[in-house]
Amino acid sequence: MATGPAGSKTVQGKEPLTSETKNGATASTPAAKRHRKSLLLAAVAVLWVLVWIAFRGVQTLELGGAERTDFHVWLNGLRDAFDASRDSSFFFQYVVTPITQGLNAVVEFLQNLFSQASGGRPVPQVGWLGVVALLSWLAFALAGVRSMLLVAAFTLLCGFFGYWEESIDTLIITFISVLLCVIIGIPTGLLMARNKRFSAIMSPILDVMQTLPSFAYLAPLALVFGIGPAAAVVTTLIYALPPLVRITEHGIRGVSPSTLEAVTSMGATPWQTLSKVQVPLAKRTIVVGINQCTMAALSMATIAALINGPGLGAPVLQALQALDVGSAFVSGLAIVLMAIMLDRTTTAASERSSIAARVRRGSKESQKRGAQRRRMIVLIGAAVALVAVYLSHNYLTLAKFPSSPNLGKPLAAIIQSFNDWTVETFSGVTEAFKNITTAMLVNPLESLLAQSPWWVMALVIIAIAAIAGGWRAAAITVLCELVILGTGLWNETMKTLATTLVATLLVVIVATILGVWMGRSKLADSIVRPILDAFQTIPSFVYLVPALALFGPTRFTAIAAAVVYGVPIATKLIADGIRGVSTTTIEAAQSMGTTAGQMIMKVQLPMSRKAVVLAVNQGLLYVLAMVVVGGLVGGGGLGYLVVSGFSQGQLFGKGLAAGIAITALGVLLDRITKYAAFRTAS
């Protein structure tokens, strides 16, 4: 036996037994595995392109705009059967109809009370002054003076824009949906936190609910609940419930184990532990969950305009369909004001719980005096609000929202003029950017995906899933592909996938640049993060307005809106990953004379690989959700078919099939990227 380099022992005639070879050659190291994976993906890509060249345009399963498959016709028949059986089916009579009638009755009652003319009156029972007073008092009671002023100002602004009734209807749908989410979601989250088996059952269901693009909910729920307020509430409930459940579970699980052990040692029952310790300590986190739930509900309540849901979504949708950028901007701005108002109020409410906890550390006497003073102010505010309600009920000028100042029409005219000037001035730049991106990225990728034989594309996607995410990702991919094939919309799905991938690429490029900058600079983080927070507050519907103004009704409009929608979440994840790189590693690299570029490319991004892959996952899902919404402004693909299904009765089945295909595509992309992230981390 001899001694080799660096003191490693060798057997004569054999290589040193190093960390690279002791587990079976260099292929076992992470770097070697990644290299092998890259080679396999490159081989798949080369083979794919060669087959595409040979069989381009063959067996693409393309379906004309008005063409329908037997499955689409069957879905139309299913709709007719549903409608015919509403009066005779046990399910409809004793399950669906009571839910639908109950939700419609609650919405109608609140509309008659606050927003619509009722009881033979030309105005609602509670006029605008009473509504503003009640909302302001509620904001003060929950969140404080600043939130009260914000709510009063923004609610009045929505009225002065000319959308008073629509704004209050949006608040009604959001309020009912969030209330139902709280009733269902918080107990579900508590049970998941205390029962691992129940959590294991619910987690995949919540995953699917969060993965599905919101457009996918609309057609099937319209089929069951019809169009109107009830369907809008149920749709919003499905979309907004998962964040509340997950955050509630996280808050309860986050309570210190030592605290729980101390309480248990004192003989507390499970119910006492939950109600007296876990829920109070997790209160702030649960309120954050309500905040996220509220924002999701507001976002979905606007999209629900497609199924005749009342609120601000209707004027935005009408303006987009008429290509009226000025009116779309004003109604979209009203939605943004609502979003900011609700976001800041619920955020302030969560912060108040922390302040209250700190105040409780003072003397009992000071606590008592503070509580009494606040209780008195709240009661006085309630009395003032009730007086305002009485006055608004009895006096027409305080009931009907004033027609002046009318800010909406002048602002719409200004925006339309500005849009016309922008298009005229920068049309060369925007048109060039759109054309270059379309010619260099969108068209080639769409041709590669949609003009390849369907079986080639199916095998390519399965191979990518297997290489990137393993056999589980490949198995789920096979199931999702079978669903897409079953809908008869394989070609349209590939077109949607192409648009999604291009938008995701742009999101990753922008998010990486901003995320690295934020992760390396606290000043940059302090500047950019509030902007990203503001962008995340805006409902997805609103992003279509500026994109439509800049690029007109084209598929690139959907891409542009999707990029702006997906960048904030991806940027934050990458910034957090860069910031999480060990300072010891950074210092060691700096001591070796590493340049800033080398630090980013060779150290920080590689060590943030898990965060980057997660950013790709989340950015991709956000993009997919927005790309299909882009069907409203010429985006084409599956989103256009969903919209057509609502507007043309004979295409209902095709639109519903498109919703199913969107769901399968979303699950497919989510599983591949999530399993890829897991394998990257391990």
Side-chain angles (χ1 to χ4, degrees), residues 216-304:
Y217 298 155
L218 299 180
L221 288 177
L223 181 65
V224 177
F225 295 98
I227 60 173
V233 171
V234 176
T235 302
T236 306
L237 171 68
I238 294 174
Y239 186 70
L241 185 63
L244 178 57
V245 175
R246 290 196 180 282
I247 294 174
T248 300
E249 180 188 16
H250 171 72
I252 298 298
R253 288 189 186 277
V255 175
S256 170
S258 58
T259 303
L260 298 178
E261 290 173 4
V263 172
T264 304
S265 67
M266 295 172 64
T269 65
W271 171 250
Q272 289 173 328
T273 301
L274 178 64
S275 60
K276 302 295 184 182
V277 179
Q278 290 177 299
V279 171
L281 290 177
K283 180 180 177 182
R284 184 171 185 267
T285 303
I286 293 173
V287 176
V288 171
I290 295 174
N291 167 269
Q292 295 299 303
C293 171
T294 303
M295 300 311 297
L298 179 64
S299 177
M300 193 62 203
T302 56
I303 293 177

Side-chain angles (χ1 to χ4, degrees), residues 11 37 61 108 143 151 176 182 207 266 277 316 323 378 416 428 444 446 481 498 519 627 664 674:
V11 178
K37 188 185 297 184
L61 302 184
E108 184 178 355
V151 167
I176 294 172
V182 168
D207 284 343
M266 295 172 64
V277 179
V316 175
L323 303 182
V378 171
Q416 189 64 51
E446 183 176 299
E481 287 181 343
V627 161
K674 277 191 175 178

Side-chain angles (χ1 to χ4, degrees), residues 520 594-603:
R520 290 171 54 84
T594 305
T595 64
Q598 290 173 331
M599 181 69 74
I600 294 170
M601 300 304 297
K602 301 293 186 181
V603 179

Side-chain angles (χ1 to χ4, degrees), residues 369-393:
R369 284 199 303 269
Q372 288 176 341
R373 184 166 56 250
R374 175 166 174 74
R375 194 178 300 115
M376 182 60 65
I377 295 173
V378 171
L379 288 174
I380 293 172
V384 172
L386 289 175
V387 170
V389 168
Y390 172 80
L391 293 174
S392 69
H393 178 75

Side-chain angles (χ1 to χ4, degrees), residues 60-65 72 446 449-450 484 487-500 627-628 635-641 654 658 661-662 665:
T60 61
L61 302 184
E62 188 169 3
L63 198 66
H72 304 158
E446 183 176 299
L449 290 170
I484 294 170
T487 64
L489 298 173
W490 178 269
N491 192 264
E492 291 297 326
T493 303
M494 292 302 103
K495 291 178 181 178
T496 300
L497 177 58
T499 308
T500 301
V627 161
V628 295
L638 295 173
Y640 172 76
L641 294 180
K654 196 170 184 178
I662 291 169
L665 182 61

Side-chain angles (χ1 to χ4, degrees), residues 191-203 249 253:
L191 189 56
M192 288 177 66
R194 295 179 63 88
N195 189 318
K196 291 184 178 180
R197 181 174 298 178
F198 183 70
S199 179
I201 295 171
M202 288 300 300
S203 290
E249 180 188 16
R253 288 189 186 277

